[in-house]
Amino acid sequence: MQQPILLTPGPITTTMATKEAMLWDYGSWDGDFNQVTADICHDIAHIANAEHTHQCILMQGSGTFMVEATLASLIGKQDKALVIMNGAYGQRMATILSYLGRQYVTLDMGDYLPPKPNEVAGILDDDPDITHVVIVHCETSSGIYNPVEAVFEVVQQAGRELIIDSMSGFGALPFNAQDMPVAAIISSANKCLESVPGFAFCLVRNDLIDSMQGNAHSLSLDLYAQHTCRLKTGQWRFTPPTHSVAAARHAIQQYLAEGGQPERLAKYQRNCQVLVEGMRQLGFKTLLEDQWLSPIIVTFLAPDNEQWQFTEFYNALKQHGFIIYPGKLTEVESFRIGCIGSQSVQDYYRLLDTIANVMALELA
Ligand SMILES: *Cc1c(COP(=O)(O)O)cnc(C)c1O
């Protein structure tokens, strides 16, 4: 049977070699497995040029588990956060802070606008209690690519800390920890590093590690405890997703061998360009203006046609081996097509042919 092509923002399509790396049963206490863990932490820090500035911490579970662990461990009970949001993942960070009982305010830009750095600076000026700013790198619900560099500058100038949810950006969007010594940057194995789900990771700035002690509300999501355990024993605190960790080491080795971040970004940009141009030729419109489009995922507006039904469109594409993603917008009907994953640009040409045929049949 032909493997489906996942045009979704995680899980994503993985190579056969990455899948095959999972055909090994590691013992979680075993030295071989500890070495795999150490390799991954080293490589992730290397990818962000963070070997000298940040510690890499891994956490079992999906990306949200790590977002929750990071916010809980870094933002103390006396602290206050500013959550910048323009979509579902920004909103989710505010929800997490509510669960945690942390103080926060929001800057809500709606569905498709980036935050203005001077507006962020103004909020920080007016509210000296704000200690942390949290932002999503690429807001996967719309595809918007947020200007994190400019936001970092104003946050740093105001003497506050920045935490970035770079779940769908890390490894593809440029990020250099020496140029941007953020408090933390978060991502997971099953996005631009093109591995399978099972764990997420975070880079925490060296000088903040000790300050995390005692902050977490949760035993299992305590980043300080997770990190100290690895420093002492080389091990994960609780059962690690061994097969997923083995796959990730392989996926990261492939990533580095292929040229790392610049090459990964170039591949996704090619995919994105072919996709957007082809879809526009078929009459589809993107939600975002070109300058805010990210090469991670693209939101298309549903065609203005009464015959159109997302489920039928979805099922027709699925029959041809393509899995796409429903929209996640509050106001308008839309759907999303991902650019990340191990599929090739040829797969996008095939997708466009399939969409042209499906549209001709459906809207005839
Ligand atoms: C994928 C993603 C997450 C995490 O989602 P999970 O379903 O928990 O893996 C968080 N933030 C962003 C921006 C994402 O793209």
mmCIF file of all heavy atoms in Angstrom, residues 9-10 61-67 89-90 92-93 136-141 165-169 188 190-191 296 325, ligand 1:
data_model
loop_
_atom_site.group_PDB
_atom_site.id
_atom_site.type_symbol
_atom_site.label_atom_id
_atom_site.label_comp_id
_atom_site.label_asym_id
_atom_site.label_seq_id
_atom_site.Cartn_x
_atom_site.Cartn_y
_atom_site.Cartn_z
ATOM 1 N N PRO A 9 0.351 20.099 9.539
ATOM 2 C CA PRO A 9 1.502 20.652 10.265
ATOM 3 C C PRO A 9 1.864 19.815 11.496
ATOM 4 O O PRO A 9 1.988 20.312 12.593
ATOM 5 C CB PRO A 9 1.017 22.035 10.668
ATOM 6 C CG PRO A 9 -0.459 21.872 10.821
ATOM 7 C CD PRO A 9 -0.891 20.754 9.931
ATOM 8 N N GLY A 10 2.015 18.581 11.361
ATOM 9 C CA GLY A 10 2.410 17.694 12.431
ATOM 10 C C GLY A 10 1.235 16.846 12.864
ATOM 11 O O GLY A 10 0.216 17.419 13.221
ATOM 12 N N GLY A 61 5.590 13.546 25.277
ATOM 13 C CA GLY A 61 4.278 14.096 24.930
ATOM 14 C C GLY A 61 4.307 14.975 23.690
ATOM 15 O O GLY A 61 5.333 15.117 23.034
ATOM 16 N N SER A 62 3.175 15.555 23.375
ATOM 17 C CA SER A 62 3.083 16.418 22.193
ATOM 18 C C SER A 62 3.643 17.799 22.539
ATOM 19 O O SER A 62 4.020 18.061 23.691
ATOM 20 C CB SER A 62 1.629 16.526 21.734
ATOM 21 O OG SER A 62 0.955 17.540 22.438
ATOM 22 N N GLY A 63 3.671 18.676 21.549
ATOM 23 C CA GLY A 63 4.237 20.001 21.758
ATOM 24 C C GLY A 63 3.601 20.783 22.892
ATOM 25 O O GLY A 63 4.284 21.489 23.643
ATOM 26 N N THR A 64 2.290 20.653 23.036
ATOM 27 C CA THR A 64 1.579 21.410 24.070
ATOM 28 C C THR A 64 2.081 21.061 25.473
ATOM 29 O O THR A 64 2.120 21.918 26.353
ATOM 30 C CB THR A 64 0.062 21.146 23.959
ATOM 31 O OG1 THR A 64 -0.339 21.466 22.623
ATOM 32 C CG2 THR A 64 -0.736 21.996 24.935
ATOM 33 N N PHE A 65 2.487 19.785 25.662
ATOM 34 C CA PHE A 65 3.013 19.390 26.972
ATOM 35 C C PHE A 65 4.246 20.227 27.309
ATOM 36 O O PHE A 65 4.445 20.651 28.439
ATOM 37 C CB PHE A 65 3.393 17.900 26.980
ATOM 38 C CG PHE A 65 2.216 16.960 26.940
ATOM 39 C CD1 PHE A 65 1.355 16.935 25.853
ATOM 40 C CD2 PHE A 65 1.963 16.090 27.981
ATOM 41 C CE1 PHE A 65 0.275 16.071 25.805
ATOM 42 C CE2 PHE A 65 0.882 15.216 27.949
ATOM 43 C CZ PHE A 65 0.038 15.206 26.854
ATOM 44 N N MET A 66 5.062 20.467 26.295
ATOM 45 C CA MET A 66 6.275 21.237 26.525
ATOM 46 C C MET A 66 5.969 22.714 26.702
ATOM 47 O O MET A 66 6.616 23.397 27.503
ATOM 48 C CB MET A 66 7.271 21.016 25.381
ATOM 49 C CG MET A 66 8.627 21.630 25.621
ATOM 50 S SD MET A 66 9.309 21.300 27.280
ATOM 51 C CE MET A 66 10.892 20.599 26.883
ATOM 52 N N VAL A 67 4.991 23.233 25.974
ATOM 53 C CA VAL A 67 4.603 24.633 26.165
ATOM 54 C C VAL A 67 4.143 24.811 27.604
ATOM 55 O O VAL A 67 4.567 25.742 28.314
ATOM 56 C CB VAL A 67 3.480 25.050 25.184
ATOM 57 C CG1 VAL A 67 3.035 26.481 25.480
ATOM 58 C CG2 VAL A 67 3.951 24.938 23.740
ATOM 59 N N TYR A 89 -2.816 29.028 18.530
ATOM 60 C CA TYR A 89 -1.713 28.611 19.405
ATOM 61 C C TYR A 89 -1.330 29.687 20.410
ATOM 62 O O TYR A 89 -0.945 29.377 21.532
ATOM 63 C CB TYR A 89 -0.522 28.138 18.570
ATOM 64 C CG TYR A 89 -0.859 26.840 17.872
ATOM 65 C CD1 TYR A 89 -1.196 26.816 16.515
ATOM 66 C CD2 TYR A 89 -0.919 25.645 18.583
ATOM 67 C CE1 TYR A 89 -1.565 25.634 15.896
ATOM 68 C CE2 TYR A 89 -1.290 24.470 17.972
ATOM 69 C CZ TYR A 89 -1.605 24.457 16.630
ATOM 70 O OH TYR A 89 -1.985 23.290 16.023
ATOM 71 N N GLY A 90 -1.481 30.963 20.019
ATOM 72 C CA GLY A 90 -1.318 32.044 20.975
ATOM 73 C C GLY A 90 -2.408 31.973 22.040
ATOM 74 O O GLY A 90 -2.149 32.103 23.243
ATOM 75 N N ARG A 92 -3.955 29.363 22.960
ATOM 76 C CA ARG A 92 -3.714 28.194 23.822
ATOM 77 C C ARG A 92 -2.736 28.539 24.946
ATOM 78 O O ARG A 92 -2.883 28.076 26.074
ATOM 79 C CB ARG A 92 -3.175 27.027 22.982
ATOM 80 C CG ARG A 92 -3.060 25.742 23.787
ATOM 81 C CD ARG A 92 -2.600 24.571 22.940
ATOM 82 N NE ARG A 92 -3.557 24.228 21.897
ATOM 83 C CZ ARG A 92 -3.339 23.285 20.972
ATOM 84 N NH1 ARG A 92 -2.207 22.607 20.962
ATOM 85 N NH2 ARG A 92 -4.246 23.020 20.050
ATOM 86 N N MET A 93 -1.738 29.378 24.662
ATOM 87 C CA MET A 93 -0.783 29.748 25.725
ATOM 88 C C MET A 93 -1.484 30.550 26.819
ATOM 89 O O MET A 93 -1.179 30.382 28.003
ATOM 90 C CB MET A 93 0.405 30.508 25.137
ATOM 91 C CG MET A 93 1.251 29.584 24.266
ATOM 92 S SD MET A 93 2.956 30.105 24.074
ATOM 93 C CE MET A 93 2.762 31.391 22.853
ATOM 94 N N VAL A 136 4.197 33.244 19.458
ATOM 95 C CA VAL A 136 4.334 32.095 18.562
ATOM 96 C C VAL A 136 5.185 32.534 17.363
ATOM 97 O O VAL A 136 4.975 33.625 16.832
ATOM 98 C CB VAL A 136 2.940 31.612 18.087
ATOM 99 C CG1 VAL A 136 3.081 30.449 17.119
ATOM 100 C CG2 VAL A 136 2.071 31.228 19.271
ATOM 101 N N HIS A 137 6.125 31.715 16.971
ATOM 102 C CA HIS A 137 7.019 32.046 15.846
ATOM 103 C C HIS A 137 6.225 32.030 14.531
ATOM 104 O O HIS A 137 6.032 33.065 13.907
ATOM 105 C CB HIS A 137 8.157 31.013 15.797
ATOM 106 C CG HIS A 137 9.400 31.503 15.121
ATOM 107 N ND1 HIS A 137 10.576 30.797 15.133
ATOM 108 C CD2 HIS A 137 9.661 32.626 14.416
ATOM 109 C CE1 HIS A 137 11.495 31.463 14.464
ATOM 110 N NE2 HIS A 137 10.971 32.572 14.022
ATOM 111 N N CYS A 138 5.776 30.855 14.141
ATOM 112 C CA CYS A 138 4.848 30.755 13.012
ATOM 113 C C CYS A 138 3.519 30.286 13.591
ATOM 114 O O CYS A 138 3.440 29.193 14.137
ATOM 115 C CB CYS A 138 5.352 29.766 11.971
ATOM 116 S SG CYS A 138 4.100 29.349 10.751
ATOM 117 N N GLU A 139 2.496 31.119 13.502
ATOM 118 C CA GLU A 139 1.161 30.775 14.047
ATOM 119 C C GLU A 139 0.510 29.798 13.061
ATOM 120 O O GLU A 139 -0.041 30.189 12.030
ATOM 121 C CB GLU A 139 0.360 32.056 14.257
ATOM 122 C CG GLU A 139 -1.068 31.910 14.716
ATOM 123 C CD GLU A 139 -1.302 30.960 15.883
ATOM 124 O OE1 GLU A 139 -1.072 31.320 17.051
ATOM 125 O OE2 GLU A 139 -1.761 29.830 15.612
ATOM 126 N N THR A 140 0.602 28.524 13.402
ATOM 127 C CA THR A 140 0.234 27.460 12.471
ATOM 128 C C THR A 140 -1.257 27.459 12.113
ATOM 129 O O THR A 140 -1.649 26.857 11.116
ATOM 130 C CB THR A 140 0.631 26.104 13.079
ATOM 131 O OG1 THR A 140 1.846 26.270 13.808
ATOM 132 C CG2 THR A 140 0.866 25.060 12.015
ATOM 133 N N SER A 141 -2.088 28.120 12.918
ATOM 134 C CA SER A 141 -3.517 28.110 12.608
ATOM 135 C C SER A 141 -3.846 28.948 11.379
ATOM 136 O O SER A 141 -4.790 28.654 10.662
ATOM 137 C CB SER A 141 -4.324 28.587 13.813
ATOM 138 O OG SER A 141 -3.856 29.849 14.237
ATOM 139 N N ASP A 165 7.176 30.108 21.254
ATOM 140 C CA ASP A 165 6.662 28.829 20.774
ATOM 141 C C ASP A 165 7.029 28.750 19.298
ATOM 142 O O ASP A 165 6.372 29.337 18.444
ATOM 143 C CB ASP A 165 5.145 28.768 20.968
ATOM 144 C CG ASP A 165 4.510 27.582 20.225
ATOM 145 O OD1 ASP A 165 5.243 26.853 19.525
ATOM 146 O OD2 ASP A 165 3.290 27.398 20.339
ATOM 147 N N SER A 166 8.134 28.048 19.023
ATOM 148 C CA SER A 166 8.586 27.908 17.639
ATOM 149 C C SER A 166 8.321 26.493 17.152
ATOM 150 O O SER A 166 9.100 25.926 16.384
ATOM 151 C CB SER A 166 10.080 28.234 17.522
ATOM 152 O OG SER A 166 10.486 28.208 16.173
ATOM 153 N N MET A 167 7.197 25.950 17.622
ATOM 154 C CA MET A 167 6.877 24.549 17.328
ATOM 155 C C MET A 167 6.996 24.242 15.842
ATOM 156 O O MET A 167 7.670 23.311 15.444
ATOM 157 C CB MET A 167 5.453 24.275 17.798
ATOM 158 C CG MET A 167 5.191 22.857 18.158
ATOM 159 S SD MET A 167 6.064 22.374 19.642
ATOM 160 C CE MET A 167 5.278 23.375 20.889
ATOM 161 N N SER A 168 6.313 25.070 15.026
ATOM 162 C CA SER A 168 6.269 24.756 13.596
ATOM 163 C C SER A 168 7.344 25.514 12.821
ATOM 164 O O SER A 168 7.335 25.501 11.598
ATOM 165 C CB SER A 168 4.893 25.083 13.033
ATOM 166 O OG SER A 168 4.637 26.471 13.188
ATOM 167 N N GLY A 169 8.275 26.164 13.530
ATOM 168 C CA GLY A 169 9.297 26.930 12.827
ATOM 169 C C GLY A 169 10.714 26.437 13.051
ATOM 170 O O GLY A 169 11.577 26.530 12.159
ATOM 171 N N SER A 188 9.003 20.749 18.686
ATOM 172 C CA SER A 188 8.822 19.305 18.864
ATOM 173 C C SER A 188 9.413 18.539 17.698
ATOM 174 O O SER A 188 9.719 19.102 16.646
ATOM 175 C CB SER A 188 7.351 18.951 19.086
ATOM 176 O OG SER A 188 6.710 18.738 17.862
ATOM 177 N N ASN A 190 8.179 16.377 15.698
ATOM 178 C CA ASN A 190 7.371 16.043 14.515
ATOM 179 C C ASN A 190 6.953 17.248 13.687
ATOM 180 O O ASN A 190 5.877 17.282 13.118
ATOM 181 C CB ASN A 190 6.126 15.244 14.927
ATOM 182 C CG ASN A 190 5.192 16.064 15.791
ATOM 183 O OD1 ASN A 190 5.487 16.342 16.946
ATOM 184 N ND2 ASN A 190 4.081 16.476 15.242
ATOM 185 N N LYS A 191 7.814 18.253 13.629
ATOM 186 C CA LYS A 191 7.523 19.401 12.758
ATOM 187 C C LYS A 191 8.666 19.518 11.749
ATOM 188 O O LYS A 191 8.896 18.587 11.013
ATOM 189 C CB LYS A 191 7.312 20.650 13.590
ATOM 190 C CG LYS A 191 6.176 20.486 14.611
ATOM 191 C CD LYS A 191 4.875 21.155 14.226
ATOM 192 C CE LYS A 191 3.794 20.844 15.245
ATOM 193 N NZ LYS A 191 2.646 21.724 15.213
ATOM 194 N N ILE A 296 5.622 27.389 5.923
ATOM 195 C CA ILE A 296 5.329 26.267 6.822
ATOM 196 C C ILE A 296 3.973 25.670 6.484
ATOM 197 O O ILE A 296 3.822 24.460 6.300
ATOM 198 C CB ILE A 296 5.337 26.743 8.301
ATOM 199 C CG1 ILE A 296 6.648 27.452 8.637
ATOM 200 C CG2 ILE A 296 5.022 25.597 9.247
ATOM 201 C CD1 ILE A 296 7.897 26.611 8.517
ATOM 202 N N TYR A 325 -5.572 19.615 5.740
ATOM 203 C CA TYR A 325 -5.969 20.017 7.086
ATOM 204 C C TYR A 325 -7.148 20.975 7.022
ATOM 205 O O TYR A 325 -7.150 21.876 6.189
ATOM 206 C CB TYR A 325 -4.765 20.749 7.712
ATOM 207 C CG TYR A 325 -4.492 20.393 9.132
ATOM 208 C CD1 TYR A 325 -4.440 19.073 9.548
ATOM 209 C CD2 TYR A 325 -4.270 21.399 10.077
ATOM 210 C CE1 TYR A 325 -4.163 18.754 10.867
ATOM 211 C CE2 TYR A 325 -3.995 21.078 11.392
ATOM 212 C CZ TYR A 325 -3.940 19.759 11.779
ATOM 213 O OH TYR A 325 -3.667 19.458 13.086
HETATM 214 C C1 LIG B 1 1.960 21.923 16.531
HETATM 215 C C2 LIG B 1 1.987 23.158 17.353
HETATM 216 C C3 LIG B 1 1.881 23.125 18.766
HETATM 217 C C4 LIG B 1 1.732 21.852 19.544
HETATM 218 O O1 LIG B 1 0.630 21.114 19.199
HETATM 219 P P1 LIG B 1 0.540 19.612 19.709
HETATM 220 O O2 LIG B 1 -0.728 19.142 19.048
HETATM 221 O O3 LIG B 1 0.450 19.633 21.165
HETATM 222 O O4 LIG B 1 1.760 18.910 19.222
HETATM 223 C C5 LIG B 1 2.026 24.298 19.465
HETATM 224 N N1 LIG B 1 2.236 25.461 18.839
HETATM 225 C C6 LIG B 1 2.333 25.548 17.502
HETATM 226 C C7 LIG B 1 2.607 26.878 16.875
HETATM 227 C C8 LIG B 1 2.204 24.403 16.709
HETATM 228 O O5 LIG B 1 2.320 24.486 15.378
#
